[in-house]
Structures are given as C-alpha cells and as structure tokens.
Amino acid sequence: MKLFIDSADVSEVSALVKGGLGLIDGVTTNPSLIAQSGASIRERIAELCAIVDGPVSAEVTATDFEGMLKEGKALAAIAENVTVKVPLTEQGLRCCYALSREGVAVNVTLCFSPAQALLAAKAGACFVSPFVGRLDDIGHDGMLLIEEILDMYRAYDFATEVLVASVRHTGHVVAAARLGAHVATLPPKVFRALYKHPLTDRGLEAFLEDWRKTKQTIL
Ligand code: E4P
C-alpha cells in the first residue's frame, strides 16, 4: 500500500520525506490545508512537487464545470507530478472525465458512498478518495465503505486506485492495508505514530540498561 502525507506544510513534508526511508509515495492537499499553511496555492504545490517523488494532489475550488476545467489545467501545468483533485459532484465528474481524456491524473475527493465511487471510476479517475474518519465521526463505518468500493472495483477490474482519506489513527492505516487499499493518505502525526509501540520503547530501554552493566562497546 502506498503512503501519502496529507499536509500542505512544506517543512513537515520535507522532514518526513528525508527521514522516511523512501516510505512516502505522495502528498495530498485540500483547500483547508492550503488555507492553514498561509501560502499561495501555486507556490505551495510547486514546492511540494519538488520535494516529493510521487503524485501531489491539488484541489480545484470552482464548482462549475468550465471553472474547474480551467483551474484543473492551471494546477496540472505547475509540475508533472500534480494530480488534480475535484469534488465528487456532477460537475466534478464531468471535469474528471474531460481532464482524464487529456491525460491529466485526477483524484475525485469527498467520496462517501460506493455509488459515488462507481461513477468516479467510470469517469476515469486515477484515484478516488473515500473519507473514512468523517464517516466514523457521524457513527457510520468508514472502513466498510473501503471494503465495498474495493469489492466493486475488483469485480470490474477498474484501474482507479482507492485512496483512503480522512485517516484519524494507525488503526485506519492497518485496516486499509488488510483490505488491500491502494493508498492511504496520513496526517503527519499518524505517519509518525506508525513507528511507535510502547513495548518497543520499554524493551529497548531494558536492553540498553543491561548492556551498560557489561561495560562493553561494540566498536
Ligand atoms: C485528503 O485528501 C483529504 O482532503 C483529507 O484526508 C481530509 O481529512 P479530514 O477529514 O481530516 O479533514
């Protein structure tokens, strides 16, 4: 499963890419993350594209087909690894279809149902982004949606990749991997939490304590 970072914070993404042993396969942003960063979208997407050797999702903000198409083309022109993100609306899917036919990679976002995901695949999306955390927040089962979409895509051999979004904790990441999701996009703190287990820390402390008693050095 590919791991993307869900952030528009250049220093965070850069630190994870450098320290991540090749574990980071891409980045996703959205208008809220760009707003939080305080940066200009074009500059920020260009910076992220230069740091990451993989797809960087940049989202349109127009809601009509023509507007989305223009914005999508402008975003795609920023760098070769831009993936244009469009919302899962009728106009967004029209835009996905048009951009995909021109060879632009499209991520259809804000997906909350298998029916929506079916349309995204048929519209030629490179990625579909179901939001598991936001579904969990309202008492639904986010991971069940991932399972349903994967079943459906496998039945028809759709090329669209399922990008698990709105990830809240490491449990979501493991569940996504067990289901065979193609990608999960992680807030930086969830990515860092993947390394962690209290028994690892405790075990290492005990090993080092015992080692100190031997007064040996390896080198
Ligand atoms: C990623 O593409 C999504 O925009 C993001 O994962 C949404 O996460 P949130 O529900 O935590 O805002």
Side-chain angles (χ1 to χ4, degrees):
M1 184 173 73
K2 286 175 271 191
L3 297 177
F4 289 4
I5 297 298
D6 195 27
S7 172
D9 182 327
V10 164
S11 47
E12 286 239 66
V13 171
S14 167
L16 290 173
V17 168
K18 283 182 190 140
L21 317 165
L23 298 174
I24 312 293
D25 302 295
V27 168
T28 51
T29 66
N30 61 37
S32 303
L33 291 171
I34 295 287
Q36 270 167 37
S37 76
S40 108
I41 182 166
R42 285 169 182 257
E43 283 168 22
R44 186 44 49 98
I45 295 300
E47 288 171 304
L48 291 168
C49 285
I51 294 169
V52 183
D53 189 17
V56 173
S57 288
E59 189 162 343
V60 299
T61 54
T63 53
D64 63 300
F65 170 70
E66 294 295 345
M68 280 192 248
L69 197 60
K70 273 192 210 146
E71 288 183 359
K73 286 181 181 176
L75 291 171
I78 294 174
E80 276 191 357
N81 51 335
V82 167
T83 294
V84 174
K85 219 172 170 192
V86 300
L88 211 157
T89 59
E90 191 176 342
Q91 302 300 306
L93 289 180
R94 275 184 69 196
C95 182
C96 172
Y97 183 71
L99 288 173
S100 302
R101 284 172 68 101
E102 291 187 25
V104 174
V106 180
N107 175 359
V108 178
T109 189
L110 290 167
C111 173
F112 292 95
S113 79
Q116 290 180 317
L118 174 62
L119 297 183
K122 288 184 67 78
C126 192
F127 301 105
V128 67
S129 292
F131 279 32
V132 294
R134 294 192 195 187
L135 279 171
D136 289 355
D137 290 346
I138 59 161
H140 289 233
D141 182 350
M143 294 316 301
L144 178 62
L145 173 60
I146 303 302
E147 198 176 340
E148 289 171 333
I149 297 172
L150 285 168
D151 280 352
M152 199 169 58
Y153 281 11
R154 284 174 185 144
Y156 291 95
D157 226 2
F158 282 125
T160 305
E161 297 196 359
V162 177
L163 194 167
V164 180
S166 188
V167 164
R168 301 273 195 261
H169 48 72
T170 57
H172 277 150
V173 183
V174 174
R178 291 189 70 184
L179 289 171
H182 306 85
V183 192
T185 188
L186 280 48
K189 80 166 194 259
V190 176
F191 180 82
R192 282 192 219 95
L194 292 177
Y195 288 97
K196 291 285 177 192
H197 195 284
L199 290 181
T200 304
D201 296 341
R202 218 187 299 162
L204 183 60
E205 238 172 68
F207 285 158
L208 294 180
E209 184 55 35
D210 290 341
W211 182 247
R212 273 191 288 275
K213 289 177 204 153
T214 70
K215 303 211 187 306
Q216 291 187 56
T217 59
I218 292 175
L219 297 177

